[in-house]
Amino acid sequence: MNIQEVLTQKVKEAVLSIYSIELPTVEFQPTRKDFEGDVTVVVFPILRFVKGNPAQIGEQIGSYLKENVAEVENFNVVKGFLNIVISDAFYFNFFNAIKDTENYGSIAAVDANAVMVEYSSPNTNKPLHLGHIRNNLLGYSVAEIIKASGKKVYKTQIINDRGIHICKSMLAWKLFGNGETPESTGLKGDKLVGNYYVKFDKEYKAQIAELIAAGTDAKEAEKQAPILVEAQEMLRKWEAGDAEVVALWKKMNQWVYKGFEVTYKNLGVDFDTYYYESETYLLGKNIVDEGLEKGVFYRKEDGSVWIDLSDEGLDEKIVLRADGTAVYMTQDIGTAIQRTKDYPDVNGMVYTVGNEQDYHFNVLFLILKKLGFTWAEQLYHLSYGMVDLPSGKMKSREGTVVDADDLMKDMTATAASISEELGKLEGYSDTEKEELYRIIGLGALKYYILKVDPKKRILFNPEESVEFQGNTGPFIQYTYARIQSILRKSDFDYSVAVDGNELHEKEKELLKQMQMFPSVIQNAAQNYSPALVANYTYDLVKEFNSFYQNVPILPEEDLQKKIFRVQLSKKVGEIIKSAFALLGIEVPERM
């Protein structure tokens, strides 16, 4: 139980004892640096239940706490703020309780209900790019954080492996490919297929220009371009099960899947299960029929099926076309239901999808609720903003995207360049250097993206992300490596128990920060926000560096103090490693 949990219980007890009133909640904040105290009770919210002078109420509660709570050593009241001084003994007891705890802050799965987290979900007509990196990092990290909060988690994705965009790459390869394969070109399969998607677009634009030059209206030219007409015909053949088209589709998709797996491995993300649009696009049609019978949906004169959500502040939404074909919404309804059949313990889903789909998910969740699925109350759209570059917006069709593989290589190269300039790699072999550059470069990329609230747009600056000062991944990694250096130099047994009496101010501040870690994980899980874990870790590292600069560790002459400070450093290192693992970031043993 952390100190806020202890005080919450005792402040409620104090209010009940003094005023005979049951207080529902207690509000805390860190004590300001210019006042004595470790934690502050904000008295003003209590005035809703207890009438009186806030300073007097604070004094009465403070006196009760000092008399009845062993952990409370002293208190002072400044206007409506009750500043409480916690005893050093409490922090020593806390540290001894967690010192040898593995995975401090995380708890094993205690909830029988599982959560399914969907992320990545790419198209099979192009390689993964910078936008996919944010998606993957967010989805993976949120899944790990939810797992650490005590829930069972399944990681999944739905691969968009069908549709006109897929046929565009297929047709361009058939027309211009001359039998090229990943093996013959030395290209990853997803890059090879992506090149043909770009090739299709160039040829399509050239044909439009020719038609316009020949006198065709621009809009008509876009529809009549022969290469588009041929791609549409290929899609019809695929849907009809044409053997030749399906064989080509399978071959090219397999190239892409192999390429994706390499990218996922390099990025450090994984999945428990995969869904494919080619297998799910017909799901949901039967559900629409059931919804019609229940009155959830209605049929228009042309035979199309709709739902009216105007009473909920939305509008009418089609769920089945007049010709009986499914739309994306139909597919997503069916896929969600199928997932709960495949994994009966799933009682909630998180969809990691960009904020341009906010409306879609509002509608999807509302439809599933109206269909009567209780788990629909536990659906969440992890909506995130775009990732921009100093050069502007990315466009797949024009081939101006920042390729995910290239970006990871560039980040490693940038880390190498900066590390060489700093000259901190004496005694490293070339293999050790390369591994370190990879860890720093990827850590910089991941931290830069994950430290930002998911809903905010990001302007990604690779050079800024690899700086060794400030709120960056390398700064935190360097602190971790510094701690490991301390441990390597500790030529004495620091595993023995230490019963201290008095804490240095910097030790106490560090312990207060360490105590927050479990609640940070819970808060990050509830808010689906890796940024809370990232920025907590930065605050912890800042606190450790202040401790390191102001308090002697290995030079300390008092052996008991030295042992305690090394133990404290070791535990901070473990928390950094655990927190970064939740973000999918590795830490180097030395830098």
Side-chain angles (χ1 to χ4, degrees):
M1 196 180 290
N2 68 31
I3 194 61
Q4 287 196 6
E5 290 169 332
V6 172
L7 290 176
T8 296
Q9 184 181 325
K10 293 298 182 180
V11 169
K12 287 182 178 180
E13 190 181 287
V15 171
L16 184 61
S17 173
I18 301 165
Y19 308 107
S20 301
I21 291 172
E22 290 194 6
L23 197 62
T25 56
V26 182
E27 188 177 316
F28 296 96
Q29 66 182 35
T31 304
R32 282 173 48 178
K33 297 287 185 186
D34 46 340
F35 296 121
E36 184 189 17
D38 300 300
V39 64
T40 295
V41 177
V42 185
V43 178
F44 295 109
I46 299 175
L47 300 181
R48 292 199 299 268
F49 309 94
V50 179
K51 303 304 176 188
N53 180 291
Q56 187 180 7
I57 292 170
E59 288 284 346
Q60 290 173 322
I61 295 173
S63 296
Y64 182 94
L65 295 177
K66 188 176 178 181
E67 290 170 19
N68 294 280
V69 184
E71 294 84 356
V72 174
E73 195 170 83
N74 209 344
F75 74 94
N76 62 84
V77 179
V78 181
K79 297 182 179 177
F81 299 92
L82 169 57
N83 304 317
I84 301 169
V85 179
I86 305 300
S87 69
D88 288 355
F90 170 81
Y91 288 106
F92 273 116
N93 291 338
F94 155 72
F95 181 71
N96 285 325
I98 69 158
K99 184 177 66 175
D100 300 316
T101 304
E102 285 189 29
N103 299 317
Y104 164 66
S106 302
I107 53 177
V110 291
D111 194 332
N113 293 320
V115 178
M116 184 169 274
V117 181
E118 176 191 296
Y119 55 96
S120 196
S121 303
N123 296 329
T124 57
N125 64 325
K126 55 192 174 186
L128 303 177
H129 56 63
L130 177 55
H132 290 116
I133 284 183
R134 186 175 197 190
N135 182 301
N136 275 269
L137 297 183
L138 274 174
Y140 175 86
S141 182
V142 163
E144 292 298 311
I145 289 167
I146 293 173
K147 196 187 301 179
S149 77
K151 290 183 182 291
K152 185 177 182 182
V153 173
Y154 299 109
K155 302 170 187 169
T156 192
Q157 61 169 309
I158 181 163
I159 299 173
N160 301 304
D161 63 343
R162 64 171 286 277
I164 189 65
H165 51 295
I166 310 298
C167 289
K168 287 176 180 179
S169 294
M170 290 164 58
L171 179 59
W173 182 85
K174 192 176 176 184
L175 293 174
F176 313 114
N178 297 316
E180 280 189 345
T181 66
E183 290 74 23
S184 70
T185 59
L187 288 173
K188 279 175 76 235
D190 52 334
K191 286 185 171 49
L192 180 65
V193 172
N195 288 345
Y196 283 102
Y197 184 61
V198 174
K199 177 69 176 168
F200 177 94
D201 192 59
K202 287 180 179 174
E203 186 64 25
Y204 176 51
K205 284 177 178 173
Q207 290 184 4
I208 291 171
E210 285 177 17
L211 288 168
I212 292 172
T216 306
D217 174 75
K219 285 191 176 179
E220 281 302 309
E222 289 175 6
K223 295 176 186 174
Q224 293 175 17
I227 196 168
L228 177 64
V229 173
E230 200 172 343
Q232 289 168 337
E233 178 58 24
M234 182 178 268
L235 178 59
R236 281 191 284 274
K237 285 183 177 179
W238 180 88
E239 290 183 347
D242 180 276
E244 184 182 337
V245 172
V246 170
L248 176 61
W249 171 78
K250 284 181 178 178
K251 178 169 72 175
M252 291 182 72
N253 272 352
Q254 203 53 48
W255 293 346
V256 174
Y257 298 148
K258 282 186 178 177
F260 283 170
E261 285 306 313
V262 171
T263 306
Y264 291 142
K265 184 179 178 184
N266 290 338
L267 192 58
V269 301
D270 58 10
F271 302 90
D272 300 308
T273 181
Y274 295 79
Y275 287 84
Y276 298 88
E277 191 182 329
S278 57
E279 298 170 359
T280 64
Y281 79 106
L282 296 176
L283 289 176
K285 291 181 74 174
N286 292 337
I287 301 297
V288 170
D289 290 338
E290 290 175 21
L292 276 167
E293 289 177 16
K294 292 178 180 176
V296 174
F297 306 122
Y298 69 94
R299 195 183 297 276
K300 288 192 176 182
E301 288 182 6
D302 64 355
S304 60
V305 180
W306 296 69
I307 185 168
D308 184 0
L309 300 172
S310 52
D311 286 349
E312 284 81 7
L314 303 174
D315 55 15
E316 293 181 306
K317 182 71 180 177
I318 189 169
V319 292
L320 212 60
R321 295 190 186 96
D323 62 2
T325 55
V327 293
Y328 270 115
M329 187 61 70
T330 329
Q331 170 188 303
D332 284 350
I333 293 166
T335 304
I337 295 166
Q338 186 62 46
R339 285 170 172 170
T340 61
K341 290 178 180 176
D342 295 341
Y343 298 88
D345 55 346
V346 165
N347 190 43
M349 298 180 209
V350 178
Y351 293 82
T352 313
V353 183
N355 56 17
E356 69 275 7
Q357 294 295 327
D358 285 353
Y359 178 80
H360 176 86
F361 284 101
N362 284 340
V363 173
L364 173 64
F365 298 167
L366 200 48
I367 289 175
L368 289 165
K369 286 175 189 173
K370 286 180 176 290
L371 287 169
F373 296 103
T374 54
W375 45 261
E377 298 291 338
Q378 309 300 325
L379 301 179
Y380 183 79
H381 175 204
L382 178 50
S383 172
Y384 62 90
M386 298 281 289
V387 183
D388 296 314
L389 295 155
S391 57
K393 204 172 181 181
M394 300 183 293
K395 295 179 182 175
S396 299
R397 286 189 299 275
E398 296 174 14
T400 59
V401 299
V402 176
D403 180 86
D405 298 304
D406 292 343
L407 178 60
M408 285 190 276
K409 284 179 187 172
D410 289 347
M411 292 300 296
T412 300
T414 303
S417 174
I418 292 176
S419 297
E420 294 286 357
E421 281 177 25
L422 293 172
K424 296 183 178 183
L425 301 175
E426 291 177 17
Y428 282 65
S429 68
D430 288 343
T431 303
E432 288 171 331
K433 284 181 182 179
E434 287 304 315
E435 177 63 2
L436 181 61
Y437 299 152
R438 183 191 68 80
I439 290 173
I440 295 172
L442 270 181
L445 169 66
K446 292 181 178 185
Y447 188 82
Y448 196 91
I449 286 174
L450 291 174
K451 73 177 181 179
V452 179
D453 182 274
K455 291 180 175 59
K456 292 183 179 176
R457 205 164 178 143
I458 294 177
L459 180 66
F460 181 69
N461 184 324
E463 287 76 21
E464 190 179 283
S465 73
V466 189
E467 289 180 2
F468 280 76
Q469 291 297 323
N471 191 5
T472 68
F475 173 67
I476 294 169
Q477 289 172 322
Y478 183 71
T479 302
Y480 176 84
R482 169 182 277 169
I483 291 169
Q484 303 319 299
S485 175
I486 292 169
L487 301 183
R488 286 192 294 271
K489 292 173 184 174
S490 303
D491 56 349
F492 53 87
D493 183 5
Y494 60 82
S495 64
V496 297
V498 176
D499 292 321
N501 297 313
E502 189 177 348
L503 285 169
H504 188 285
E505 176 194 353
K506 293 296 179 182
E507 293 171 335
K508 194 171 187 180
E509 289 301 319
L510 189 52
L511 284 161
K512 281 155 65 174
Q513 193 70 26
M514 293 163 70
Q515 199 187 39
M516 292 168 59
F517 188 45
S519 61
V520 167
I521 291 176
Q522 294 297 325
N523 198 17
Q526 288 163 16
N527 289 281
Y528 308 95
S529 179
L532 296 176
V533 173
N535 289 292
Y536 163 80
T537 312
Y538 175 56
D539 289 341
L540 175 67
V541 162
K542 282 195 298 182
E543 209 61 69
F544 176 81
N545 283 323
S546 180
F547 159 76
Y548 177 83
Q549 288 156 11
N550 289 280
V551 180
I553 302 175
L554 295 178
E556 173 58 56
E557 294 179 0
D558 183 315
L559 183 60
Q560 288 292 293
K561 287 183 178 179
K562 184 192 290 189
I563 290 172
F564 174 67
R565 288 170 186 171
V566 172
Q567 289 179 347
L568 196 56
S569 301
K570 181 174 184 285
K571 197 64 193 178
V572 170
E574 290 174 6
I575 295 173
I576 293 170
K577 188 173 185 177
S578 295
F580 260 30
L582 296 178
L583 304 176
I585 302 175
E586 297 173 74
V587 285
E589 293 302 304
R590 58 192 187 119
M591 277 173 77

